[in-house]
Each structure stands twice: as C-alpha cells, then as structure tokens.
Amino acid sequence: MILSYLSLTNFRNYGRLEVNFSPGMTLLYGPNAQGKTNILESIYYLATTRSPQASADYQIINWEAMEADDQIVVGRIVAQVQLPEGPRHIEMRLIQEKVRGSMRFRREALLDRRKVRLMDLLGNLRVVLFLPSDVEMIGGPPATRRRYIDILLCQVDPTYCRTLSTYNKVLEQRNAALRQHLETGRGRDVIRILTDDLVQKGAVIIQSRAKYMRHLARVAQRIHYESLTDGRETLRLAYLPRLQGNGLSQSTGDEMSGEMQQLSEKVDWLAGQSDYSPVEEWFSKVVQSQEARDLSSGVTTVGPHRDDWRFWINGRQLAHYGSRGQQRSAMLAFKLAEIEFMREITGDFPILLLDDVVAELDKSRRALLLSFIQERTQAFLTSTDSSMFPSTFLRSTKIFVVKKGRLEEETNQSIKHVEEVEDKTQI
Amino acid sequence: MSVLPRSIQQLINEFSRLPGIGPKSASRLAFFLLRGADPNQAVDLANALVALKENTRFCSICHNITEDDPCVICTNEERDSTLMCVVEEPLDLVAIERSRAFKGRYHVLHGSISPVEGIGPDDLTIESLVKRIDAGEYSEVIIATNATLEGDTTARYLERRLASFGLKLSSLARGLAVGSDLEYTDEVTLSRALQGRQEL
C-alpha cells in the first residue's frame, strides 16, 4: 500500500498542510520541534485511531485554532491511499465541543467520504512505527506491551479488534457488578451471565493472541538469528496469558521457571487449535476457581486484560539480563518481523514510520534496517541530521525540509553536502 | 447582569437545559414565541407542556406511557393475549407497533441491566413481568431488547428468570438491515446473519 496524499488541518503545529508523497523512501528532515514527528503521528493516528503514546487525544488539535474559537474546532487528517484493489480516501475529523461549559472531544471517521464507525478505519491504512522509546517496552509494565500488541493485531484482524472492544465492555460491566455485590450482597445472577460473556469473548482474544504471537515469534527469531547476531543468539518471544490465580511467580527472571515453561507449552498447543472450545474450557475453569476472590476484591482478577508477553535470549529473560545493545537488537528484530508478519497476513506491506530511530542504531544495525526497508515498501523517516544516511540511500530518497509546520521539497543540495562530508571523512 | 426582562431570560434558561439546544437556539426560540405570527402559539405550547406531565402516567399492566390506565393496548380485546413482547423503552414499543407485524401484548422494562450505570434487575419492571406471566395465559414471550451488550445481558437474565414457566422464549433475529449492502456490513453483523440464515 502507498500513501500518496496527506492533508492536515489544525493538527498539532500544522494549521494547514497538503502534500503529495511518492512510493519508496521519504526523509523528513530539519531541526527539532518543527513538526517532523507530527506528520508521522498523523499517519499513525489515521491507521490505528490511537496516539503513539497513550496520551490524551485533545492535545492533538492545533493550539492556535483552539484559542481562536472555543466553541468548536475541527481538526482534520485526510489521506489518499493506493491499495491493490484501488485508491481509498480516508478521513478523520477531530471535533472539540463545548457542552454546558465543559470541553468534549469527539472523533468522526470517513471512508471514501462515507461516515463509518471509528473502528472501520482500521485495516485501510496499515503502519509499523519505529520509535527510539520502543526498546523501553521490553522492561516496561505489561500494560504497555498489551497495548502495543493490540494495536498491531487490530490493524490486521478486524474481528480481533471488535471482540477486544466488546470484551472490555463486558469486563467493565462485570467489575461494576462485582463492586455492587460487594456493597449490597446482590446480583450474583447478573455476574454469572457476564462471566459467560467474559469467557466467550476472552477465549477469542486469548487464542488470537496465542496464534499471532507464535507467528510473530517465529519471524522475529529468524531475523534476529540470521541477520542481527550471526547465529550467536536465539530470541524467544513468549505469550503469557493470565490464566492462573496468582500470576506467574516472578522468579528473578533468569531461566524460564517450570511453571512458565508449562504455560508456554500449553499456549503453543492452543495456538494450533482450530476452534475456541479448548481455550473457553480452560478460561472458564480458571474464572470459576477465582470467583470467590473476584467477589471479595470487586474486580476480575484473571483474563486477557492481565496478559503479558516477554522476550528471552538464549534462555534468559531479556528485561533482566540483556544488555542495552541486546535489547536494541531484539526490538529491531521484532519490528522487522512486524513488517513481514503484516505482509504474510494481509498480502501487502505496511507503511513504515521511523521517528528518529536511525540515530539510535550503530552502523551495522543501521545498514540492516535501511536495506530492509529499502527493498520493500514505502517508508517515512525523520531526522535532524541527514549526514547519518549513506549517500546511496539519499540519492534514492525524496527529501522534505520541515520548518515551522511547512514542508519544502529539497533537491540535490543536501545530497551534495553529504557527499562532500563523506569525501572529507575518507581523507 | 442580563438586560433582558426576567421572564424572557427565564424561558431562555429553561430552553437551554433541553438536549441539543444551546444558548443561541434558546434565545431564538424564546423570541420567536414572543413575537411570532400566531399569538396563541405560546399559550398552546404552555398548555401542551402542562398536559404532558399532568395527563400521562405509566400503564399499571404493561408500564407503557399512557393517558388512561390501563392503556389502549392492554384493554384491546382483539389483541392476542397469549403472545407477549418485552421491550426496553416506550419508543421501542412505538417502533414495533409501526411495523404492524405484532398483534400481541407488550411489557416495557424501562431500561436494561447495566451495572456500570447502577441499573440492576430490581430497577426494571421484571417482577411485574413475572407476575403477569404467572397469572396470564401466555404461550410465547418475545424478548425484543436492543442488540447491545446491555440488551443481551437483560435478555439472558429474562431467559433464566422465565425458564420455569415452560413457555416459548424467542428473541428478534440479528442480521442484515433491509436495503443494506453486504459489502458495507460489519463482520459481526454478517456472521450473526449467517448463523441465523433461513432456508429458501
């Protein structure tokens, strides 16, 4: 898929922007705080309906526009995408309303100029976003990893996305029912109905995660082994569903504990099943065994909303034992695997968004990344410094200078400059 | 401080408390009534508003909104009293009546089970429904709650609650909207439509 046109209205620091893009590489280049990242963010937002960071949406609207008129502000992201089956017009409107004195934020989605539900935007524009902070996910809280994998899977599987949304609603209702039971001692019958729902929707989530994570893990392992560590290290990605009462014992994290090993094997088996009944049965048993605890604590303590997934290298947990360099390599392998994974599932390459990540990588990893994306698909890269790109790369790349919310296409000048620099360094 | 006379300002304030009406629309409505072509319009409106609260009540049998208790549907001898349709809101009843496809009795729940909003089975008219079924001669109950999570939860609750009466329980079919394109139908609706397919 190719993003051929992008238009932004009142989005971040862009009052108005219209730009045509071509296939292949596009470099957005310029000093900090000029709006490079905002372009990537707008594309990401249109593809996923989410912000890259879990920050509040209202920040997305242009501040100047907000002061001009506090009644209603329409921010707008419009893209033209070339899909194998033809062009597609994708639009998101960001509407800020003042309702009875308080600000309210609302979004509208349009597909080929028809109003659709926000969720229906997913899958029309698929992206993989590279951020320097990605690597922090490895040692971060499980919620970050869950959000990450959910956004990825929602782009390739609309049913997963819908089921996840329903699961979250059921969970919210069940938790409310549990709290009310705690206060009044009533409502066991409603809890039972919601538990059935929870198990049914949760089973779909768990099995989808198991299946997709196994697929991702396989691709990531191969890239990591062959291209990043010359066969020295084996990367392992394990999906750990929360299907046990007390969670996994967090043994200091080096070797996989027996319990974890067992869970991991069961998940592998699950990923190969063709229908949901084994996982439903499993989840149902666990929920039942935890019912007393749920009733006394007023929250649902087991289920996919508490899932996790982790990285291991040569049998040791990366979050605890990996060096920074090992963590970077693992993350890079994982991101490259995401690209392959999306192509294998959907038959089409996603669009790549690389926000200032090239500077983070050492020379060999940088070369691998650039060759990987160059061969494949459309990519947007941001950088403050074009000299870190090889001149061969720049020659085949479209370059825009980003300055104070404006884009200007740059021709040969900066390339010449880089070539001069390279010449000097050779002397 | 407002320069408008108090009676106008008060009307504007009341209008702007209505859903979908902001201060500007409220002022326009108030001035329209003040200076409108039809001098009786304001009085007619006022009377209609008073009548709304004074003359309407809930039917003691089906809990629909009515002026006479019991309501015209509950007292209509020609309707089938072995068939009952359970709906969430009075407007749902109106929608089903408009279809002219149902000639039985109704029961209005006045909401659906939603613990998040603090609404449990006891907050709905379920007890009265159970009593009606116990005392009546119903052979089938159609549960026509909304196709939402809350509507489904309510339907499942009723299913359990009414199971012991040994009558036929049914729900509305889920599927394609009439006149809709398959292409634009979402996966969930489509899969429900496939599950509920009918033999030709």
Side-chain angles (χ1 to χ4, degrees):
Chain A
M1 72 177 41
I2 301 295
L3 175 71
S4 56
Y5 167 83
L6 180 71
S7 152
L8 303 178
T9 311
N10 296 331
F11 183 86
R12 298 278 193 209
N13 70 330
Y14 292 94
R16 185 96 186 91
L17 174 83
E18 260 189 280
V19 58
N20 290 303
F21 293 121
S22 38
M25 310 293 110
T26 299
L27 176 66
L28 304 164
Y29 149 76
N32 281 320
Q34 303 297 313
K36 300 186 296 292
T37 300
N38 297 349
I39 299 222
L40 300 194
E41 191 189 1
S42 72
I43 301 170
Y44 183 86
Y45 200 64
L46 207 52
T48 64
T49 75
R50 311 284 282 270
S51 228
Q53 318 288 352
S55 60
D57 285 325
Y58 65 83
Q59 294 176 337
I60 268 170
I61 290 177
N62 183 312
W63 317 285
E64 282 170 36
M66 250 172 88
E67 283 156 25
D69 178 1
D70 62 355
Q71 278 299 336
I72 176 164
V73 171
V74 179
R76 195 192 298 257
I77 313 170
V78 181
Q80 189 87 33
V81 181
Q82 309 299 325
L83 295 169
E85 60 266 29
R88 187 136 258 196
H89 190 270
I90 308 174
E91 177 171 348
M92 173 122 74
R93 295 176 183 164
L94 313 158
I95 300 163
Q96 183 94 35
E97 289 171 323
K98 206 169 181 176
V99 179
R100 313 251 178 284
S102 67
M103 292 302 245
R104 218 181 50 158
F105 182 80
R106 187 161 65 82
R107 299 182 292 177
E108 276 178 7
L110 290 91
L111 213 51
D112 289 334
R113 298 186 172 82
R114 272 166 40 105
K115 251 193 211 177
V116 295
R117 285 173 305 179
L118 214 50
M119 219 181 267
D120 295 327
L121 280 194
L122 295 164
N124 288 288
L125 173 63
R126 284 184 294 270
V127 298
V128 175
L129 174 67
F130 292 68
L131 292 172
S133 57
D134 282 337
V135 71
E136 286 158 27
M137 188 170 68
I138 293 172
T144 314
R145 287 185 289 276
R146 272 197 306 273
R147 179 179 196 268
Y148 188 90
I149 214 72
D150 284 339
I151 289 177
L152 168 61
L153 297 187
C154 276
Q155 290 193 70
V156 298
D157 185 349
T159 306
Y160 176 84
C161 200
R162 266 180 232 289
T163 311
L164 183 65
S165 156
T166 313
Y167 177 84
N168 287 331
K169 277 184 213 152
V170 174
L171 178 69
E172 205 188 335
Q173 290 286 14
R174 188 176 189 267
N175 285 343
L178 287 168
R179 275 196 305 278
Q180 273 152 34
H181 182 268
L182 205 58
E183 287 159 16
T184 64
R186 300 175 64 97
R188 281 290 283 269
D189 35 11
V190 174
I191 293 173
R192 228 164 277 139
I193 291 170
L194 290 165
T195 303
D196 289 348
D197 260 343
L198 191 83
V199 167
Q200 202 201 352
K201 305 295 179 219
V204 178
I205 302 296
I206 295 166
Q207 195 176 346
S208 304
R209 284 181 182 166
K211 192 178 69 176
Y212 288 131
M213 290 297 282
R214 187 172 70 159
H215 188 164
L216 267 168
R218 228 169 11 217
V219 184
Q221 186 177 61
R222 178 173 50 75
I223 294 173
H224 186 259
Y225 189 81
E226 287 173 6
S227 310
L228 277 152
T229 61
D230 292 322
R232 284 189 310 270
E233 291 179 356
T234 306
L235 176 69
R236 174 155 185 206
L237 239 156
Y239 167 49
L240 307 167
R242 180 61 179 266
L243 288 171
Q244 57 288 313
N246 294 305
L248 294 162
S249 46
Q250 288 295 323
S251 59
T252 42
D254 47 352
E255 305 280 313
M256 237 192 202
S257 66
E259 190 188 11
M260 228 179 241
Q261 193 68 42
Q262 235 177 350
L263 177 65
S264 182
E265 273 162 27
K266 201 162 174 186
V267 167
D268 262 355
W269 168 79
L270 206 62
Q273 297 302 302
S274 57
D275 73 287
Y276 300 118
S277 47
V279 65
E280 258 180 41
E281 206 178 298
W282 183 9
F283 188 16
S284 173
K285 242 184 236 157
V286 176
V287 178
Q288 268 163 32
S289 72
Q290 294 305 307
E291 198 185 24
R293 198 166 138 209
D294 284 5
L295 285 170
S296 66
S297 61
V299 289
T300 305
T301 52
V302 287
H305 58 289
R306 298 239 171 134
D307 281 357
D308 198 2
W309 55 280
R310 303 263 176 107
F311 294 91
W312 274 266
I313 281 188
N314 291 346
R316 303 196 134 207
Q317 201 177 136
L318 188 59
H320 301 251
Y321 279 84
S323 69
R324 192 77 176 161
Q326 276 178 317
Q327 295 192 351
R328 279 220 173 102
S329 287
M331 205 58 224
L332 183 57
F334 181 73
K335 305 292 298 196
L336 298 179
E338 248 183 78
I339 302 170
E340 278 299 317
F341 168 77
M342 280 177 132
R343 190 194 57 82
E344 284 170 23
I345 303 263
T346 67
D348 194 11
F349 277 111
I351 291 166
L352 311 184
L353 309 170
L354 296 94
D355 191 21
D356 221 11
V357 285
V358 175
E360 293 276 308
L361 300 172
D362 63 28
K363 220 171 167 186
S364 62
R365 291 195 192 106
R366 187 184 299 171
L368 172 75
L369 173 66
L370 292 181
S371 74
F372 199 93
I373 62 177
Q374 225 167 346
E375 289 162 19
R376 282 168 172 81
T377 173
Q378 190 181 28
F380 295 87
L381 301 92
T382 69
S383 179
T384 49
D385 180 7
S386 64
S387 71
M388 62 183 64
F389 295 93
S391 57
T392 47
F393 178 84
L394 289 177
R395 235 176 265 124
S396 59
T397 297
K398 221 168 189 175
I399 301 171
F400 288 93
V401 177
V402 183
K403 217 169 171 187
K404 289 187 180 152
R406 286 180 185 284
L407 258 66
E408 224 169 89
E409 197 174 339
E410 194 164 79
T411 42
N412 295 318
Q413 266 181 343
S414 73
I415 297 173
K416 252 188 214 149
H417 170 73
V418 172
E419 274 171 332
E420 276 165 30
V421 173
E422 278 185 4
D423 285 344
K424 272 180 208 154
T425 48
Q426 271 164 13
I427 300 163
Chain B
M1 206 188 91
S2 174
V3 290
L4 287 171
R6 225 176 64 89
S7 48
I8 298 181
Q9 190 58 51
Q10 202 175 352
L11 183 61
I12 292 174
N13 292 348
E14 287 305 321
F15 273 137
S16 55
R17 283 171 60 188
L18 300 176
I21 296 187
K24 275 187 184 165
S25 304
S27 315
R28 205 161 57 230
L29 291 174
F31 276 90
F32 178 82
L33 290 172
L34 185 67
R35 297 186 308 207
D38 180 357
N40 294 325
Q41 195 170 15
V43 177
D44 291 347
L45 178 66
N47 288 336
L49 289 174
V50 172
L52 176 70
K53 272 307 204 187
E54 279 186 355
N55 298 351
T56 61
R57 68 209 74 205
F58 294 121
C59 171
S60 55
I61 300 174
C62 72
H63 305 277
N64 189 23
I65 294 169
T66 179
E67 287 200 359
D68 309 302
D69 185 16
C71 71
V72 287
I73 293 176
C74 289
T75 52
N76 187 341
E77 291 297 321
E78 278 163 31
R79 296 190 76 109
D80 187 347
S81 37
T82 64
L83 198 56
M84 153 125 42
C85 180
V86 182
V87 295
E88 290 181 19
E89 298 292 345
L91 281 177
D92 299 334
L93 184 154
V94 173
I96 291 176
E97 276 299 285
R98 228 172 15 223
S99 78
R100 296 171 188 273
F102 180 75
K103 289 282 173 256
R105 310 285 178 182
Y106 287 98
H107 192 88
V108 183
L109 295 171
H110 289 283
S112 55
I113 296 173
S114 173
V116 168
E117 294 163 275
I119 303 171
D122 301 344
D123 301 303
L124 308 176
T125 62
I126 292 175
E127 274 319 306
S128 136
L129 171 68
V130 173
K131 276 190 200 127
R132 274 181 83 186
I133 289 170
D134 199 20
E137 48 199 23
Y138 293 99
S139 60
E140 180 174 357
V141 174
I142 303 167
I143 301 173
T145 49
N146 288 333
T148 56
L149 174 62
E150 293 75 22
D152 284 342
T153 305
T154 311
R156 300 243 299 281
Y157 180 86
L158 291 176
E159 189 190 333
R160 289 173 189 214
R161 194 67 198 276
L162 303 177
S164 59
F165 290 103
L167 36 72
K168 187 177 169 194
L169 289 173
S170 57
S171 68
L172 296 186
R174 307 274 190 256
L176 294 183
V178 173
S180 67
D181 273 337
L182 269 188
E183 187 193 349
Y184 295 115
T185 308
D186 68 84
E187 303 80 9
V188 177
T189 306
L190 212 49
S191 75
R192 293 288 288 269
L194 277 168
Q195 281 163 21
R197 67 186 182 274
Q198 285 170 348
E199 211 171 342
L200 291 173

